[in-house]
């Protein structure tokens, strides 16, 4: 199958499975890439925790903050399904900045992330991305807003109503009645922008190697491995990643490093058109689409 036909086929399979997908796969050394709508910006959900980790690690490296400094963190006390770590704690905790970076990046802990945002506000994170030469990712707000969506206002048996609102309340210009899904209000990024960020971390130029190395290690220890990891993890490859989930959004970005020395950066950003919270089929379809593009690119 030629490249054009393959991309049409992948797009059709995503659509038939109830997903609008924005994908990009790039060979980190040759620069060759394949994508589907890679320049379309979408709300980034928890993917914003990667730039946050990058900015915090850079400040630690420069001596602006000490990674061993312990902060008192208020409990998140979240009871709805999804959030992890400190977000579900009932009592205050004292945790070192280095460990907050781990919790935020590897467990996608929103309360840990907001403790880091208290140190490095969104505008400083965005500025650090620009100085690293990474463009197209906006960082406008903390993660606490991700805990206050329509899904938290419905009984768990009515979660489909929140997803129906997420699917149907958008505009052609990427506006939305749900602020966390409004492209002019939310943290956003495109598949290309996130692949550019991965490129900058795995092949450092504008990022210090010490910082890049720590971030690569954190992403290698991501504990959320239900989405793309099954298709990219093996004894002959290493998958390092970060997921992002919010209402009908399902994202994952990562790098697969093969034993033969080739490495591919992958970003899959999707919007589900199915009003349901639990969709393992959508996760599998995302992985299949990404693997198909990677396999084709690997053979070129």
């Amino acid at each position: 199958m030629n490249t054009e036909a393959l991309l049409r086929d992948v797009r059709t399979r995503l659509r038939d499975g109830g997903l609008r997908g924005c994908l990009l796969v790039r060979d980190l050394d040759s620069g060759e890439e394949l994508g589907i709508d890679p320049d379309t910006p979408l709300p980034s959900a928890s993917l914003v925790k990667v730039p946050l980790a990058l900015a915090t690690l850079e400040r630690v490296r420069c001596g602006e903050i000490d990674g061993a400094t312990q902060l008192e963190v208020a409990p998140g006390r979240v009871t709805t399904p999804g959030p992890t770590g400190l977000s579900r704690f009932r009592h205050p905790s004292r945790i070192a900045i280095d460990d907050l970076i781990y919790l935020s990046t590897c467990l996608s802990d929103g309360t840990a992330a907001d403790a880091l945002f208290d140190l490095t506000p969104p505008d400083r994170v965005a500025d650090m991305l620009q100085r690293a030469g990474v463009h197209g990712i906006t960082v406008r707000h903390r993660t606490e807003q991700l805990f206050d969506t329509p899904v938290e206002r419905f009984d768990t048996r009515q979660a489909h109503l929140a997803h129906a609102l997420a699917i149907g309340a958008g505009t052609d210009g990427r506006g939305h009645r749900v602020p966390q899904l409004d492209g002019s209000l939310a943290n956003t990024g495109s598949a290309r922008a996130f692949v550019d960020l991965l490129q900058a971390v795995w092949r450092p130029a504008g990022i210090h190697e010490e910082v890049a190395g720590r971030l690569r290690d954190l992403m290698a220890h991501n504990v959320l491995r239900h989405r793309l990891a099954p298709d990219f993890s093996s004894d002959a490859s290493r998958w390092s990643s970060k997921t992002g989930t919010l209402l009908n959004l399902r994202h994952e970005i990562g790098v697969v490093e093969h034993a033969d020395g080739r490495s591919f950066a992958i970003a899959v950003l999707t919007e589900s058109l199915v009003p349901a919270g639990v969709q393992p089929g959508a996760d599998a379809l995302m992985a299949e689409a990404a693997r198909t593009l990677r396999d084709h690119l690997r053979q070129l």
Side-chain angles (χ1 to χ4, degrees):
M1 186 182 298
N2 65 37
T3 300
E4 218 171 282
L6 178 132
L7 292 176
R8 279 199 307 270
D9 180 64
V10 171
R11 191 189 295 271
T12 298
R13 279 186 278 155
L14 288 169
R15 185 179 63 244
D16 290 348
L19 289 178
R20 281 195 293 254
C22 302
L23 294 74
L24 189 66
V25 179
R26 179 185 297 165
D27 185 317
L28 284 177
D29 293 308
S30 73
E32 293 183 335
E33 58 184 35
L34 286 176
I36 294 173
D37 298 331
D39 297 305
T40 299
L42 290 176
S44 57
S46 287
L47 296 185
V48 74
K49 294 166 186 172
V50 178
L52 172 62
L54 174 67
T56 308
L57 290 169
E58 174 60 20
R59 294 190 67 201
V60 170
R61 184 193 72 82
C62 291
E64 294 181 24
I65 53 178
D66 184 348
T69 299
Q70 294 188 4
L71 304 179
E72 181 157 325
V73 183
R77 295 176 179 158
V78 176
T79 58
T80 52
T84 59
L86 300 174
S87 300
R88 306 194 80 82
F89 275 30
R90 297 185 178 186
H91 307 286
S93 305
R94 289 190 64 80
I95 303 188
I97 292 171
D98 278 337
D99 295 328
L100 289 170
I101 299 171
Y102 166 76
L103 291 171
S104 173
T105 309
C106 300
L107 274 69
S108 203
D109 184 337
T111 297
D114 282 341
L116 297 176
F117 269 129
D118 286 342
L119 293 174
T120 308
D123 59 340
R124 287 201 64 181
V125 176
D127 180 64
M128 201 158 292
L129 282 175
Q130 295 295 312
R131 285 191 278 123
V134 178
H135 307 285
I137 296 174
T138 61
V139 185
R140 295 187 173 106
H141 60 75
R142 295 153 44 96
T143 66
E144 63 186 350
Q145 295 187 28
L146 305 182
F147 300 150
D148 185 23
T149 72
V151 78
E152 282 79 33
R153 301 166 193 264
F154 287 100
D155 182 275
T156 53
R157 293 167 297 179
Q158 299 177 308
H160 64 282
L161 298 176
H163 287 268
L165 175 64
I167 293 165
T171 69
D172 292 339
R174 288 284 167 192
H176 206 286
R177 290 176 62 188
V178 177
Q180 295 88 340
L181 300 179
D182 189 308
S184 65
L185 301 174
N187 300 323
T188 62
S190 65
R192 185 179 304 282
F194 279 108
V195 164
D196 288 344
L197 174 58
L198 295 172
Q199 176 100 36
V201 173
W202 259 259
R203 299 293 184 269
I207 297 174
H208 194 281
E209 173 55 40
E210 178 186 333
V211 172
R214 286 196 61 188
L215 187 49
R216 292 195 299 268
D217 184 67
L218 285 165
M219 293 181 69
H221 289 90
N222 177 23
V223 302
L224 302 176
R225 304 183 71 79
H226 63 290
R227 196 160 282 164
L228 301 190
D231 280 66
F232 290 103
S233 296
S234 74
D235 288 346
S237 63
R238 173 184 171 103
W239 175 244
S240 306
S241 65
K242 179 72 189 75
T243 59
T245 308
L246 176 68
L247 292 170
N248 67 322
L249 302 178
R250 285 170 172 78
H251 307 328
E252 185 157 357
I253 63 172
V255 170
V256 57
E257 299 169 274
H258 295 288
D260 65 4
R262 297 188 71 181
S263 299
F264 296 85
I266 298 168
V268 184
L269 280 56
T270 71
E271 298 173 297
S272 175
L273 303 177
V274 178
V278 180
Q279 297 184 48
D283 294 327
L285 185 57
M286 290 172 61
E288 178 189 351
R291 190 188 69 244
T292 299
L293 296 191
R294 188 284 314 269
D295 289 350
H296 189 74
L297 190 59
R298 202 175 184 187
Q299 295 166 6
L300 293 179

